[in-house]
Amino acid sequence: MNIWKYSTNDDYFDFLDFHDAVVEKIQVFENQIVVDIESINILADHPLNPYGVAKNTDHCRLIFVHPTFSEATLFLEDKIPQQIECTDFKELEILKFARSKQPDDYLYEIFGSDNQFCEWRVKAKGLILYWNEFVGDAWFVG
């Protein structure tokens, strides 16, 4: 069981930067989808960031809470979409992570690369992000 120092939720989604984040593992459970990520960036205005600049985290865990829908797609070289299980991503690197409010939940849309371009769409009640340390400035600082 991991003990996490920091946690944040949907209220602060706009202060999280997932660009170039590398997904290490995805696990699907009955009431959650657990995504282990190498690191992400916490923007300067996030209330948990005590620094004046965006900071990179150590290993972190993203949990989609009470998911009702998950659809993963690879776009093959011939541009034909191929449906896969989200747990079948091999080297998912997040390029864009968007969220939109739905009547009863949120729609999360991840566009990335997994040796080919890919998309992962998840509907869930919300998300929680956990991490332990700020390890350095975000790549775009300075």
Side-chain angles (χ1 to χ4, degrees):
M1 172 99 186
N2 281 346
I3 303 297
W4 300 96
K5 186 173 178 181
Y6 299 102
S7 69
T8 192
N9 61 26
D10 271 294
D11 294 340
Y12 303 100
F13 182 85
D14 293 335
F15 302 112
L16 306 175
D17 172 55
F18 290 87
H19 182 72
D20 291 340
V22 176
V23 172
E24 298 173 330
K25 183 178 181 181
I26 300 171
Q27 300 174 84
V28 177
F29 300 100
E30 184 177 334
N31 289 319
Q32 60 187 13
I33 299 174
V34 177
V35 184
D36 287 319
I37 302 173
E38 192 175 273
S39 68
I40 72 155
N41 299 304
I42 307 296
L43 301 182
D45 292 333
H46 192 290
L48 294 176
N49 184 345
Y51 305 95
V53 298
K55 299 299 267 189
N56 190 250
T57 69
D58 61 345
H59 169 83
C60 54
R61 177 167 288 165
L62 173 71
I63 298 178
F64 291 109
V65 180
H66 297 291
T68 58
F69 171 84
S70 174
E71 179 182 82
T73 306
L74 286 178
F75 297 100
L76 304 179
E77 289 178 16
D78 52 9
K79 299 196 168 96
I80 295 174
Q82 176 184 345
Q83 300 296 308
I84 64 168
E85 296 296 322
C86 63
T87 53
D88 290 340
F89 283 124
K90 306 254 184 291
E91 299 175 18
L92 175 58
E93 180 178 336
I94 298 171
L95 302 176
K96 183 179 177 186
F97 191 159
R99 173 193 67 162
S100 57
K101 181 72 176 123
Q102 305 291 296
D104 295 321
D105 51 19
Y106 291 98
L107 173 63
Y108 301 95
E109 296 178 286
I110 294 172
F111 180 75
S113 173
D114 188 56
N115 292 324
Q116 289 120 7
F117 286 120
C118 60
E119 181 180 51
W120 183 22
R121 300 172 69 226
V122 177
K123 279 189 180 181
K125 292 290 181 192
L127 64 73
I128 303 171
L129 178 75
Y130 298 98
W131 76 98
N132 285 317
E133 301 296 332
F134 294 97
V135 295
D137 289 353
W139 63 270
F140 51 83
V141 171

PDB file of all heavy atoms in Angstrom, residues 15-20 39-44 49 51-57 134-142:
ATOM      1  N   PHE A  15      -4.550  23.197 -13.294  1.00  0.00           N
ATOM      2  CA  PHE A  15      -3.206  23.493 -12.780  1.00  0.00           C
ATOM      3  C   PHE A  15      -2.266  22.289 -12.917  1.00  0.00           C
ATOM      4  O   PHE A  15      -1.195  22.272 -12.316  1.00  0.00           O
ATOM      5  CB  PHE A  15      -3.271  23.933 -11.320  1.00  0.00           C
ATOM      6  CG  PHE A  15      -4.135  25.149 -11.116  1.00  0.00           C
ATOM      7  CD1 PHE A  15      -5.328  25.054 -10.421  1.00  0.00           C
ATOM      8  CD2 PHE A  15      -3.766  26.389 -11.623  1.00  0.00           C
ATOM      9  CE1 PHE A  15      -6.130  26.159 -10.231  1.00  0.00           C
ATOM     10  CE2 PHE A  15      -4.569  27.496 -11.443  1.00  0.00           C
ATOM     11  CZ  PHE A  15      -5.753  27.392 -10.745  1.00  0.00           C
ATOM     12  N   LEU A  16      -2.702  21.288 -13.677  1.00  0.00           N
ATOM     13  CA  LEU A  16      -1.893  20.092 -13.916  1.00  0.00           C
ATOM     14  C   LEU A  16      -1.488  20.060 -15.383  1.00  0.00           C
ATOM     15  O   LEU A  16      -2.303  20.357 -16.263  1.00  0.00           O
ATOM     16  CB  LEU A  16      -2.694  18.836 -13.573  1.00  0.00           C
ATOM     17  CG  LEU A  16      -3.312  18.774 -12.176  1.00  0.00           C
ATOM     18  CD1 LEU A  16      -4.179  17.528 -12.040  1.00  0.00           C
ATOM     19  CD2 LEU A  16      -2.236  18.812 -11.109  1.00  0.00           C
ATOM     20  N   ASP A  17      -0.242  19.697 -15.647  1.00  0.00           N
ATOM     21  CA  ASP A  17       0.254  19.615 -17.015  1.00  0.00           C
ATOM     22  C   ASP A  17       0.770  18.200 -17.257  1.00  0.00           C
ATOM     23  O   ASP A  17       1.745  17.783 -16.643  1.00  0.00           O
ATOM     24  CB  ASP A  17       1.372  20.634 -17.246  1.00  0.00           C
ATOM     25  CG  ASP A  17       2.038  20.442 -18.592  1.00  0.00           C
ATOM     26  OD1 ASP A  17       1.319  20.453 -19.615  1.00  0.00           O
ATOM     27  OD2 ASP A  17       3.270  20.255 -18.622  1.00  0.00           O
ATOM     28  N   PHE A  18       0.090  17.484 -18.151  1.00  0.00           N
ATOM     29  CA  PHE A  18       0.435  16.095 -18.450  1.00  0.00           C
ATOM     30  C   PHE A  18       1.239  15.956 -19.740  1.00  0.00           C
ATOM     31  O   PHE A  18       1.543  14.842 -20.149  1.00  0.00           O
ATOM     32  CB  PHE A  18      -0.849  15.254 -18.574  1.00  0.00           C
ATOM     33  CG  PHE A  18      -1.564  15.046 -17.277  1.00  0.00           C
ATOM     34  CD1 PHE A  18      -2.497  15.966 -16.822  1.00  0.00           C
ATOM     35  CD2 PHE A  18      -1.305  13.925 -16.506  1.00  0.00           C
ATOM     36  CE1 PHE A  18      -3.164  15.774 -15.625  1.00  0.00           C
ATOM     37  CE2 PHE A  18      -1.968  13.722 -15.307  1.00  0.00           C
ATOM     38  CZ  PHE A  18      -2.893  14.651 -14.865  1.00  0.00           C
ATOM     39  N   HIS A  19       1.582  17.067 -20.398  1.00  0.00           N
ATOM     40  CA  HIS A  19       2.290  16.990 -21.677  1.00  0.00           C
ATOM     41  C   HIS A  19       3.610  16.241 -21.506  1.00  0.00           C
ATOM     42  O   HIS A  19       4.392  16.538 -20.613  1.00  0.00           O
ATOM     43  CB  HIS A  19       2.540  18.386 -22.245  1.00  0.00           C
ATOM     44  CG  HIS A  19       3.209  18.353 -23.580  1.00  0.00           C
ATOM     45  ND1 HIS A  19       2.538  17.944 -24.715  1.00  0.00           N
ATOM     46  CD2 HIS A  19       4.468  18.630 -23.958  1.00  0.00           C
ATOM     47  CE1 HIS A  19       3.372  18.001 -25.733  1.00  0.00           C
ATOM     48  NE2 HIS A  19       4.560  18.417 -25.310  1.00  0.00           N
ATOM     49  N   ASP A  20       3.837  15.256 -22.361  1.00  0.00           N
ATOM     50  CA  ASP A  20       5.034  14.406 -22.354  1.00  0.00           C
ATOM     51  C   ASP A  20       5.101  13.438 -21.170  1.00  0.00           C
ATOM     52  O   ASP A  20       6.132  12.806 -20.942  1.00  0.00           O
ATOM     53  CB  ASP A  20       6.330  15.226 -22.397  1.00  0.00           C
ATOM     54  CG  ASP A  20       6.534  15.920 -23.733  1.00  0.00           C
ATOM     55  OD1 ASP A  20       5.906  15.495 -24.733  1.00  0.00           O
ATOM     56  OD2 ASP A  20       7.320  16.875 -23.784  1.00  0.00           O
ATOM     57  N   SER A  39       5.938  10.915 -14.265  1.00  0.00           N
ATOM     58  CA  SER A  39       5.900  12.227 -13.611  1.00  0.00           C
ATOM     59  C   SER A  39       4.984  13.139 -14.413  1.00  0.00           C
ATOM     60  O   SER A  39       4.707  12.876 -15.581  1.00  0.00           O
ATOM     61  CB  SER A  39       7.298  12.848 -13.516  1.00  0.00           C
ATOM     62  OG  SER A  39       7.770  13.188 -14.795  1.00  0.00           O
ATOM     63  N   ILE A  40       4.518  14.205 -13.774  1.00  0.00           N
ATOM     64  CA  ILE A  40       3.771  15.255 -14.469  1.00  0.00           C
ATOM     65  C   ILE A  40       4.278  16.590 -13.940  1.00  0.00           C
ATOM     66  O   ILE A  40       5.147  16.632 -13.064  1.00  0.00           O
ATOM     67  CB  ILE A  40       2.240  15.135 -14.291  1.00  0.00           C
ATOM     68  CG1 ILE A  40       1.822  15.516 -12.873  1.00  0.00           C
ATOM     69  CG2 ILE A  40       1.733  13.764 -14.651  1.00  0.00           C
ATOM     70  CD1 ILE A  40       0.383  16.010 -12.804  1.00  0.00           C
ATOM     71  N   ASN A  41       3.701  17.678 -14.447  1.00  0.00           N
ATOM     72  CA  ASN A  41       4.058  19.011 -13.971  1.00  0.00           C
ATOM     73  C   ASN A  41       2.893  19.608 -13.204  1.00  0.00           C
ATOM     74  O   ASN A  41       1.745  19.529 -13.639  1.00  0.00           O
ATOM     75  CB  ASN A  41       4.422  19.923 -15.145  1.00  0.00           C
ATOM     76  CG  ASN A  41       5.613  19.395 -15.899  1.00  0.00           C
ATOM     77  OD1 ASN A  41       6.671  19.179 -15.321  1.00  0.00           O
ATOM     78  ND2 ASN A  41       5.450  19.167 -17.190  1.00  0.00           N
ATOM     79  N   ILE A  42       3.216  20.210 -12.070  1.00  0.00           N
ATOM     80  CA  ILE A  42       2.237  20.930 -11.255  1.00  0.00           C
ATOM     81  C   ILE A  42       2.507  22.412 -11.491  1.00  0.00           C
ATOM     82  O   ILE A  42       3.603  22.908 -11.189  1.00  0.00           O
ATOM     83  CB  ILE A  42       2.385  20.591  -9.756  1.00  0.00           C
ATOM     84  CG1 ILE A  42       2.365  19.074  -9.515  1.00  0.00           C
ATOM     85  CG2 ILE A  42       1.320  21.310  -8.937  1.00  0.00           C
ATOM     86  CD1 ILE A  42       1.081  18.378  -9.873  1.00  0.00           C
ATOM     87  N   LEU A  43       1.530  23.126 -12.042  1.00  0.00           N
ATOM     88  CA  LEU A  43       1.744  24.520 -12.400  1.00  0.00           C
ATOM     89  C   LEU A  43       1.912  25.396 -11.164  1.00  0.00           C
ATOM     90  O   LEU A  43       1.499  25.035 -10.051  1.00  0.00           O
ATOM     91  CB  LEU A  43       0.601  25.014 -13.279  1.00  0.00           C
ATOM     92  CG  LEU A  43       0.416  24.239 -14.595  1.00  0.00           C
ATOM     93  CD1 LEU A  43      -0.707  24.841 -15.429  1.00  0.00           C
ATOM     94  CD2 LEU A  43       1.716  24.188 -15.393  1.00  0.00           C
ATOM     95  N   ALA A  44       2.504  26.552 -11.369  1.00  0.00           N
ATOM     96  CA  ALA A  44       2.857  27.457 -10.262  1.00  0.00           C
ATOM     97  C   ALA A  44       1.646  27.874  -9.431  1.00  0.00           C
ATOM     98  O   ALA A  44       1.761  28.061  -8.215  1.00  0.00           O
ATOM     99  CB  ALA A  44       3.573  28.690 -10.804  1.00  0.00           C
ATOM    100  N   ASN A  49       1.579  23.737  -4.735  1.00  0.00           N
ATOM    101  CA  ASN A  49       2.913  24.046  -5.234  1.00  0.00           C
ATOM    102  C   ASN A  49       3.453  25.256  -4.474  1.00  0.00           C
ATOM    103  O   ASN A  49       3.009  26.383  -4.683  1.00  0.00           O
ATOM    104  CB  ASN A  49       2.866  24.335  -6.741  1.00  0.00           C
ATOM    105  CG  ASN A  49       4.237  24.573  -7.326  1.00  0.00           C
ATOM    106  OD1 ASN A  49       5.210  24.794  -6.620  1.00  0.00           O
ATOM    107  ND2 ASN A  49       4.307  24.554  -8.649  1.00  0.00           N
ATOM    108  N   TYR A  51       6.290  26.672  -4.762  1.00  0.00           N
ATOM    109  CA  TYR A  51       7.317  27.364  -5.530  1.00  0.00           C
ATOM    110  C   TYR A  51       6.678  28.399  -6.449  1.00  0.00           C
ATOM    111  O   TYR A  51       5.500  28.329  -6.747  1.00  0.00           O
ATOM    112  CB  TYR A  51       8.138  26.357  -6.346  1.00  0.00           C
ATOM    113  CG  TYR A  51       8.721  25.264  -5.482  1.00  0.00           C
ATOM    114  CD1 TYR A  51       8.068  24.050  -5.340  1.00  0.00           C
ATOM    115  CD2 TYR A  51       9.909  25.464  -4.786  1.00  0.00           C
ATOM    116  CE1 TYR A  51       8.587  23.050  -4.530  1.00  0.00           C
ATOM    117  CE2 TYR A  51      10.435  24.469  -3.976  1.00  0.00           C
ATOM    118  CZ  TYR A  51       9.769  23.268  -3.856  1.00  0.00           C
ATOM    119  OH  TYR A  51      10.277  22.281  -3.049  1.00  0.00           O
ATOM    120  N   GLY A  52       7.442  29.300  -6.945  1.00  0.00           N
ATOM    121  CA  GLY A  52       6.930  30.335  -7.840  1.00  0.00           C
ATOM    122  C   GLY A  52       6.906  29.930  -9.293  1.00  0.00           C
ATOM    123  O   GLY A  52       6.567  30.732 -10.153  1.00  0.00           O
ATOM    124  N   VAL A  53       7.284  28.676  -9.565  1.00  0.00           N
ATOM    125  CA  VAL A  53       7.315  28.168 -10.944  1.00  0.00           C
ATOM    126  C   VAL A  53       6.686  26.781 -10.990  1.00  0.00           C
ATOM    127  O   VAL A  53       6.534  26.131  -9.956  1.00  0.00           O
ATOM    128  CB  VAL A  53       8.767  28.086 -11.487  1.00  0.00           C
ATOM    129  CG1 VAL A  53       9.409  29.470 -11.537  1.00  0.00           C
ATOM    130  CG2 VAL A  53       9.613  27.125 -10.684  1.00  0.00           C
ATOM    131  N   ALA A  54       6.359  26.342 -12.188  1.00  0.00           N
ATOM    132  CA  ALA A  54       5.832  24.984 -12.370  1.00  0.00           C
ATOM    133  C   ALA A  54       6.915  23.976 -12.002  1.00  0.00           C
ATOM    134  O   ALA A  54       8.088  24.166 -12.324  1.00  0.00           O
ATOM    135  CB  ALA A  54       5.381  24.775 -13.807  1.00  0.00           C
ATOM    136  N   LYS A  55       6.519  22.918 -11.318  1.00  0.00           N
ATOM    137  CA  LYS A  55       7.467  21.902 -10.862  1.00  0.00           C
ATOM    138  C   LYS A  55       7.063  20.528 -11.378  1.00  0.00           C
ATOM    139  O   LYS A  55       5.886  20.221 -11.521  1.00  0.00           O
ATOM    140  CB  LYS A  55       7.525  21.858  -9.330  1.00  0.00           C
ATOM    141  CG  LYS A  55       7.984  23.154  -8.689  1.00  0.00           C
ATOM    142  CD  LYS A  55       9.374  23.547  -9.094  1.00  0.00           C
ATOM    143  CE  LYS A  55      10.411  23.043  -8.147  1.00  0.00           C
ATOM    144  NZ  LYS A  55      11.755  23.584  -8.416  1.00  0.00           N
ATOM    145  N   ASN A  56       8.078  19.710 -11.611  1.00  0.00           N
ATOM    146  CA  ASN A  56       7.885  18.329 -12.036  1.00  0.00           C
ATOM    147  C   ASN A  56       7.786  17.452 -10.790  1.00  0.00           C
ATOM    148  O   ASN A  56       8.475  17.699  -9.803  1.00  0.00           O
ATOM    149  CB  ASN A  56       9.069  17.906 -12.911  1.00  0.00           C
ATOM    150  CG  ASN A  56       8.850  16.589 -13.588  1.00  0.00           C
ATOM    151  OD1 ASN A  56       9.487  15.612 -13.239  1.00  0.00           O
ATOM    152  ND2 ASN A  56       7.958  16.550 -14.548  1.00  0.00           N
ATOM    153  N   THR A  57       6.952  16.423 -10.849  1.00  0.00           N
ATOM    154  CA  THR A  57       6.791  15.508  -9.721  1.00  0.00           C
ATOM    155  C   THR A  57       7.656  14.271  -9.912  1.00  0.00           C
ATOM    156  O   THR A  57       8.174  14.029 -11.000  1.00  0.00           O
ATOM    157  CB  THR A  57       5.339  15.022  -9.589  1.00  0.00           C
ATOM    158  OG1 THR A  57       5.036  14.163 -10.695  1.00  0.00           O
ATOM    159  CG2 THR A  57       4.357  16.172  -9.522  1.00  0.00           C
ATOM    160  N   PHE A 134       8.242  17.148  -5.276  1.00  0.00           N
ATOM    161  CA  PHE A 134       8.552  18.025  -6.394  1.00  0.00           C
ATOM    162  C   PHE A 134      10.042  17.821  -6.640  1.00  0.00           C
ATOM    163  O   PHE A 134      10.851  18.051  -5.745  1.00  0.00           O
ATOM    164  CB  PHE A 134       8.274  19.480  -6.031  1.00  0.00           C
ATOM    165  CG  PHE A 134       6.811  19.781  -5.793  1.00  0.00           C
ATOM    166  CD1 PHE A 134       6.294  19.792  -4.508  1.00  0.00           C
ATOM    167  CD2 PHE A 134       5.964  20.046  -6.849  1.00  0.00           C
ATOM    168  CE1 PHE A 134       4.948  20.088  -4.282  1.00  0.00           C
ATOM    169  CE2 PHE A 134       4.619  20.347  -6.633  1.00  0.00           C
ATOM    170  CZ  PHE A 134       4.116  20.357  -5.350  1.00  0.00           C
ATOM    171  N   VAL A 135      10.419  17.387  -7.839  1.00  0.00           N
ATOM    172  CA  VAL A 135      11.817  16.997  -8.056  1.00  0.00           C
ATOM    173  C   VAL A 135      12.612  17.992  -8.889  1.00  0.00           C
ATOM    174  O   VAL A 135      13.831  17.863  -8.982  1.00  0.00           O
ATOM    175  CB  VAL A 135      11.917  15.585  -8.694  1.00  0.00           C
ATOM    176  CG1 VAL A 135      11.379  14.546  -7.731  1.00  0.00           C
ATOM    177  CG2 VAL A 135      11.191  15.525 -10.026  1.00  0.00           C
ATOM    178  N   GLY A 136      11.978  18.954  -9.486  1.00  0.00           N
ATOM    179  CA  GLY A 136      12.703  19.940 -10.289  1.00  0.00           C
ATOM    180  C   GLY A 136      11.730  20.827 -11.028  1.00  0.00           C
ATOM    181  O   GLY A 136      10.527  20.627 -10.988  1.00  0.00           O
ATOM    182  N   ASP A 137      12.266  21.831 -11.697  1.00  0.00           N
ATOM    183  CA  ASP A 137      11.429  22.701 -12.495  1.00  0.00           C
ATOM    184  C   ASP A 137      10.848  21.925 -13.673  1.00  0.00           C
ATOM    185  O   ASP A 137      11.476  21.018 -14.212  1.00  0.00           O
ATOM    186  CB  ASP A 137      12.243  23.874 -13.041  1.00  0.00           C
ATOM    187  CG  ASP A 137      12.626  24.879 -11.957  1.00  0.00           C
ATOM    188  OD1 ASP A 137      12.157  24.743 -10.805  1.00  0.00           O
ATOM    189  OD2 ASP A 137      13.413  25.793 -12.276  1.00  0.00           O
ATOM    190  N   ALA A 138       9.640  22.317 -14.075  1.00  0.00           N
ATOM    191  CA  ALA A 138       9.029  21.727 -15.267  1.00  0.00           C
ATOM    192  C   ALA A 138       9.894  22.047 -16.483  1.00  0.00           C
ATOM    193  O   ALA A 138      10.607  23.059 -16.501  1.00  0.00           O
ATOM    194  CB  ALA A 138       7.620  22.271 -15.451  1.00  0.00           C
ATOM    195  N   TRP A 139       9.804  21.228 -17.517  1.00  0.00           N
ATOM    196  CA  TRP A 139      10.649  21.375 -18.708  1.00  0.00           C
ATOM    197  C   TRP A 139      10.494  22.719 -19.389  1.00  0.00           C
ATOM    198  O   TRP A 139      11.399  23.198 -20.041  1.00  0.00           O
ATOM    199  CB  TRP A 139      10.355  20.245 -19.705  1.00  0.00           C
ATOM    200  CG  TRP A 139       8.945  20.249 -20.236  1.00  0.00           C
ATOM    201  CD1 TRP A 139       7.860  19.615 -19.707  1.00  0.00           C
ATOM    202  CD2 TRP A 139       8.462  20.947 -21.387  1.00  0.00           C
ATOM    203  NE1 TRP A 139       6.731  19.857 -20.443  1.00  0.00           N
ATOM    204  CE2 TRP A 139       7.066  20.688 -21.490  1.00  0.00           C
ATOM    205  CE3 TRP A 139       9.043  21.765 -22.334  1.00  0.00           C
ATOM    206  CZ2 TRP A 139       6.263  21.212 -22.492  1.00  0.00           C
ATOM    207  CZ3 TRP A 139       8.251  22.291 -23.353  1.00  0.00           C
ATOM    208  CH2 TRP A 139       6.875  22.009 -23.414  1.00  0.00           C
ATOM    209  N   PHE A 140       9.340  23.376 -19.210  1.00  0.00           N
ATOM    210  CA  PHE A 140       9.080  24.625 -19.916  1.00  0.00           C
ATOM    211  C   PHE A 140       9.426  25.874 -19.092  1.00  0.00           C
ATOM    212  O   PHE A 140       9.252  26.990 -19.564  1.00  0.00           O
ATOM    213  CB  PHE A 140       7.621  24.691 -20.372  1.00  0.00           C
ATOM    214  CG  PHE A 140       6.624  24.395 -19.274  1.00  0.00           C
ATOM    215  CD1 PHE A 140       6.228  25.375 -18.386  1.00  0.00           C
ATOM    216  CD2 PHE A 140       6.089  23.127 -19.144  1.00  0.00           C
ATOM    217  CE1 PHE A 140       5.317  25.102 -17.385  1.00  0.00           C
ATOM    218  CE2 PHE A 140       5.180  22.833 -18.148  1.00  0.00           C
ATOM    219  CZ  PHE A 140       4.789  23.835 -17.264  1.00  0.00           C
ATOM    220  N   VAL A 141       9.935  25.706 -17.881  1.00  0.00           N
ATOM    221  CA  VAL A 141      10.316  26.852 -17.042  1.00  0.00           C
ATOM    222  C   VAL A 141      11.626  27.431 -17.570  1.00  0.00           C
ATOM    223  O   VAL A 141      12.577  26.710 -17.826  1.00  0.00           O
ATOM    224  CB  VAL A 141      10.455  26.433 -15.560  1.00  0.00           C
ATOM    225  CG1 VAL A 141      11.061  27.550 -14.739  1.00  0.00           C
ATOM    226  CG2 VAL A 141       9.108  26.023 -15.001  1.00  0.00           C
ATOM    227  N   GLY A 142      11.666  28.757 -17.677  1.00  0.00           N
ATOM    228  CA  GLY A 142      12.887  29.429 -18.125  1.00  0.00           C
ATOM    229  C   GLY A 142      12.911  29.496 -19.576  1.00  0.00           C
ATOM    230  O   GLY A 142      13.641  29.938 -20.336  1.00  0.00           O
TER     231      GLY A 142
END
